[in-house]
């Protein structure tokens, strides 16, 4: 899967994470819906460079409701903030916006150098 960013990968073991299993055992279908919101929130945060912050306005963008958010806070997946929520542990599992911006700049510069070498023009 080509994403343009070398560290982006799909987490393939969420379904067997003990915290997830316990959450589903305790809350059933409500937990499954909340997990989907949590996973969508991680994607949203990465795509929009929010460093894991999900505002109240963005909650709808990740198909969440206040009830989902409350459940995710209760279970430790989200932390309540002044503007909405912070994805718990985001910074330890996902690249920061600064890292992403730096890599994009490096890739852009490399592309310009490659084009200049190919086409004989300076960037």
């Amino acid at each position: 899967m080509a994403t343009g960013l070398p560290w982006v990968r799909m987490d393939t073991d969420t379904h067997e994470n003990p915290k997830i299993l316990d959450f589903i055992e305790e809350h059933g279908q409500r937990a499954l819906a909340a997990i989907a919101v949590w996973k969508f929130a991680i994607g949203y945060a990465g795509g929009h460079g929010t460093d894991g912050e999900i505002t109240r306005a963005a909650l709808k963008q990740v198909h969440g409701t206040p009830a989902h958010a409350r459940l995710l806070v209760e279970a430790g997946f989200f932390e309540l903030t002044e503007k909405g929520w912070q994805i718990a542990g985001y910074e330890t599992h996902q690249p920061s916006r600064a890292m992403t911006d730096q890599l994009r700049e490096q890739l852009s510069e490399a592309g310009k150098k490659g084009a200049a070498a190919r086409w004989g023009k300076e960037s």
Side-chain angles (χ1 to χ4, degrees), residues 7-89:
W7 63 70
V8 177
R9 66 173 180 79
M10 175 63 73
D11 183 357
T12 58
D13 64 354
T14 303
H15 67 284
E16 63 188 18
N17 181 305
K19 184 175 179 177
I20 299 287
L21 294 173
D22 291 344
F23 186 46
I24 294 168
E25 182 70 26
E26 183 175 349
H27 297 284
Q29 292 297 311
R30 291 177 48 224
L32 290 173
I35 289 166
V37 170
W38 173 65
K39 292 294 271 189
F40 296 152
I42 292 168
Y44 177 91
H48 291 276
T50 71
D51 287 335
E53 181 181 30
I54 303 299
T55 62
R56 285 180 200 78
L59 186 61
K60 285 184 180 181
Q61 296 297 311
V62 298
H63 311 288
T65 66
H68 293 129
R70 279 191 300 276
L71 189 57
L72 290 166
V73 168
E74 183 183 306
F77 291 94
F78 277 4
E79 297 165 356
L80 195 57
T81 68
E82 189 174 305
K83 295 181 181 180
W85 304 270
Q86 176 68 34
I87 299 166

